[in-house]
Amino acid sequence: MKFGVVISEGPYTHEAADTAYHFVKAAIAKGHEVPRVFFYHDGVNVSTRLSVPPQDERHIQNNWTALAKEHDIDLVVCIAAAQRRGLLDQNEAERQGKDANNIAEGFRISGLGQLIEMGIQTDRLVMFGD
Amino acid sequence: MPDVKKFLYVNRKAPYGTIYALESLEVVLIGAAFEQDVSLAFLDDGVFQLTKGQNTEGIGVKNFSPTFRALGDYEVTKLFVERESLEERGLTEADLQEITYEDEDDDWAEKPSIRVVSRAEMAEIMADQDVVLSF
């Protein structure tokens, strides 16, 4: 089965990004496909490469980057939600005249159309949030 | 896989205080371009999103409630509001904005988009969907 996953709460404050991570790993281990994960609302904050949690804690962004690389998962960050919250890739930083960018490897910024498309193209859409 | 899927956007939160309501509406507006079978559900504090006479001046936040009246132009014409959620909050349908659409199958007659349904009916509406997005 093809699963689409949405993460709609921020890292560390909320467990959504962790639960989704365990769900995606388990689904793939069972032979399912997870072609895309979409980050929305505060979930976009997972994609910052400037996160530095204490060493004895899980690193949520690194976990996602590694999982995406291993299983070729498309990690999409909503552009409108990201820009509100100060998350920019290099292109957007240049376009908006900002002096830095902070999107981690494996994530890409794109539009909400990617969320709808995921709903159309997958068998089940699973949302992790409040 | 069917060409057109049934999408339901479930709105459960008050319009201000958190960003869920606004960002839900942003998904609905973008999603309209994909020509799917779209419905919106309003329940719990989500029913406050449709109340008329919203004034956000005092909190310095944009009042986005007029956007709901434009949904008909995006062919989003099914707004289901849960009766029990209204009653539990001391609201009636008369407290909600008038939201209409022009029915192209009925000589563009203007019809109400809001349909107040019972909790049991809402459960059936949800069970009938292909994709449910919860905000």
Side-chain angles (χ1 to χ4, degrees):
Chain A
M1 191 175 271
K2 257 187 205 167
F3 286 100
V5 170
V6 184
I7 296 172
S8 62
E9 293 293 340
Y12 302 103
T13 299
H14 199 289
E15 207 178 306
D18 298 291
T19 312
Y21 173 74
H22 296 304
F23 173 85
V24 170
K25 272 175 65 165
I28 291 171
K30 286 272 185 189
H32 300 294
E33 292 172 60
V34 184
R36 179 177 295 163
V37 176
F38 192 87
F39 296 82
Y40 199 46
H41 298 318
D42 276 357
V44 298
N45 289 302
V46 172
S47 69
T48 178
R49 60 180 161 77
L50 301 182
S51 162
V52 189
Q55 287 202 343
D56 59 349
E57 277 185 33
R58 79 253 187 248
H59 195 303
I60 296 176
Q61 173 264 308
N62 279 356
N63 282 350
W64 277 108
T65 294
L67 192 66
K69 197 170 189 177
E70 191 182 346
H71 299 289
D72 197 22
I73 305 167
D74 187 19
L75 304 180
V76 181
V77 181
C78 169
I79 187 164
Q83 290 190 340
R84 282 194 179 104
R85 294 164 176 84
L87 290 146
L88 301 167
D89 62 10
Q90 196 178 342
N91 279 343
E92 276 307 305
E94 282 169 16
R95 203 167 71 88
Q96 304 289 345
K98 298 291 184 186
D99 61 2
N101 64 77
N102 54 348
I103 298 298
E105 185 192 342
F107 294 82
R108 70 183 177 95
I109 288 195
S110 189
L112 281 166
Q114 303 279 305
L115 167 59
I116 306 298
E117 185 187 84
M118 181 172 77
I120 295 169
Q121 293 178 348
T122 56
D123 302 304
R124 293 283 187 281
L125 187 138
V126 189
M127 259 185 111
F128 293 86
D130 255 347
Chain B
M1 202 178 292
D3 289 342
V4 174
K5 282 191 171 183
K6 289 187 170 185
F7 273 70
L8 178 70
Y9 299 88
V10 182
N11 298 285
R12 299 172 291 129
K13 308 240 169 54
Y16 311 102
T18 63
I19 202 169
Y20 300 103
L22 173 64
E23 288 191 334
S24 168
L25 194 52
E26 290 184 345
V27 182
V28 173
L29 295 174
I30 297 289
F34 286 77
E35 297 182 343
Q36 302 295 300
D37 182 357
V38 173
S39 302
L40 272 57
F42 295 85
L43 46 96
D44 300 345
D45 280 349
V47 297
F48 285 115
Q49 293 181 28
L50 297 178
T51 54
K52 57 185 169 194
Q54 293 179 25
N55 180 346
T56 57
E57 257 178 51
I59 56 171
V61 174
K62 186 169 128 188
N63 176 1
F64 62 89
S65 65
T67 308
F68 287 110
R69 293 201 295 275
L71 286 176
D73 299 335
Y74 290 82
E75 291 178 39
V76 175
T77 61
K78 289 177 283 188
L79 276 58
F80 298 102
V81 180
E82 193 185 77
R83 179 174 294 114
E84 287 86 342
S85 292
L86 287 171
E87 287 170 354
E88 286 160 7
R89 288 159 182 81
L91 298 172
T92 68
E93 194 171 352
D95 295 306
L96 306 181
Q97 297 195 70
E98 196 179 343
I99 300 173
T100 60
Y101 71 99
E102 293 175 343
D103 187 351
E104 61 178 319
D105 299 324
D106 190 8
D107 198 24
W108 305 99
E110 194 163 300
K111 297 185 176 177
S113 300
I114 292 180
R115 303 174 211 183
V116 177
V117 299
S118 70
R119 192 159 278 169
E121 287 169 323
M122 188 64 92
E124 285 172 20
I125 290 163
M126 287 184 176
D128 192 38
Q129 304 298 318
D130 297 308
V131 179
V132 179
L133 290 151
S134 184
F135 295 99

